[in-house]
Amino acid sequence: MNEALRNTSLPSTGDQRGLPVDRIDVQLDQPIPELLAVGLGNCLPVYGVCSHPDSDVVGLELSIGESACELLCFRRGRGAGAQTDFVGLADLSQTPEQRPCVVTLHVLLANDTSRDVVLGETIVTKWANKTIEFPAVAGHRSARVAICMATYNPEPEAFERQLQSILSQSFRDWICIVCDDASNPQSQHMLTEKCAQDERLCLQLHQSNLGFYGNFERALGYVPTPVEWVALADQDDYWYPQKLAALISGFETGVELVYSDMRIVGDDGREISPTYWQQRKNYYEQLQLMLLANTVTGAASLFRRRLLDFILPFPIRIGDAFHDHWIACVALSKGKIGYVSSTLYDYVQHGSSVIGHCNFETPTLVQRIAATIGSISGFIAPARLKAELVRIYNVSLTVYRYECRRIQLMAHVIQLRCADIPKGKRAELNLYKGGIISALRLFVLHVKIIVLRHTTDDAELRLGMGFAVARLAQRRCGRAHSG
């Protein structure tokens, strides 16, 4: 298990036959959250290891209050003291009021005894938008667009430049919620001064740092109900004057989100690329591909405010989860995504960027064949074969833990929240359900992507291997238990 696991020996209660109750060791990947908002539906993902020094762990189940789910188990060895990895998603339905819930791991041991290990407590609550006061704009109407800007210790000149570009928008019926993620006092003072220059700028300062993922979620929670559209903004980009107007013009019946191209520039303002699509392909119509490799950048997007009912709260973050990927997948599940081919802003790419522009290389068929031959030749030596298989096995389990589970969680939460998803899109979401069927379908998709030369960075191949090896590990666990 990765060092990121929280190594915690947790007390247990339950059946007293034959074994001490305090010797089950459980290590959790992430601590149980103190507060778990549900919205229209949510999941608690868990990943960890469990062992007992004197007995074999043969089964695990997780419960949150009255809800329970069986966990998948991957055994690392045999006999007493061997560690068993466990993984699962516990569904949470909409709750009318907040309630405390005990999260319990039910452990079945080899001699038919069982233990209940309390992993922690969480308060399960419904999601509610925060209320803020915002002024009326031109014509004494409520703003039609809410711009959510996430900030953290912004560089003053870059922030001022971005702020002025928003103030210079040709479409003026907007408010901008500047949501600060516990910047230092100097930065918060600067933000307060600069946001005082226009009544449409609404600064929200915070003392708790959530990171960009949690801060964008927090910012979206401030969006008032009357607005029609929501835009996301980074703290150091530069919007062209027609950006909002052009994105609004891209909406038509059935379109839930519109996004644009961008120009990539460096810290010094010099152009790196005139377009985001220098090497990548832009696809935004197939949900299965959007889940694999996001093409929708948050700061390039404008989406309907009604989507927030399905977007919030964000799923618990697993691995490199990004807010714009989640928003795009929800939008495409609910309807269509539109694209404006014009370059509507400068994206500043620099070394300190939390989120950066990247390109995926697309190997030719000849290059892929040559790489495959080279890989096969490495298996010829028996001594090397075993080491290579072990490496692939371990890498694939890591991919399963961070990538497969992230997309699996996204797809599952979307289906919990969106009951009216068309059958075709539901099938695309089910592609990432897990197991050997998902693996085989992803391998078939990989062949299609090679033929069509899409740019997914071979994510579907990694995910397919992750699901396949996880299933193999689960079957090995079952054989070990039965033996």
Side-chain angles (χ1 to χ4, degrees), residues 80-118:
Q83 290 186 321
T84 297
D85 293 47
F86 58 87
V87 60
L89 294 175
D91 288 359
L92 296 167
S93 58
Q94 190 170 196
T95 179
E97 57 185 14
Q98 69 179 32
R99 55 191 175 89
C101 290
V102 176
V103 182
T104 305
L105 185 67
H106 307 285
V107 184
L108 178 63
L109 299 171
N111 61 349
D112 293 329
T113 63
S114 64
R115 299 289 183 274
D116 288 345
V117 182
V118 176

Side-chain angles (χ1 to χ4, degrees), residues 324-344:
D324 49 9
H325 189 198
W326 166 244
I327 291 169
C329 290
V330 173
L332 193 50
S333 297
K334 293 293 294 179
K336 295 187 293 185
I337 288 179
Y339 177 66
V340 176
S341 59
S342 303
T343 299
L344 296 182

Side-chain angles (χ1 to χ4, degrees), residues 368-388:
R368 288 185 182 275
I369 292 173
T372 302
I373 293 173
S375 298
I376 292 174
S377 64
F379 287 100
I380 295 176
R384 186 175 175 184
L385 173 60
K386 182 178 180 180
E388 185 65 15

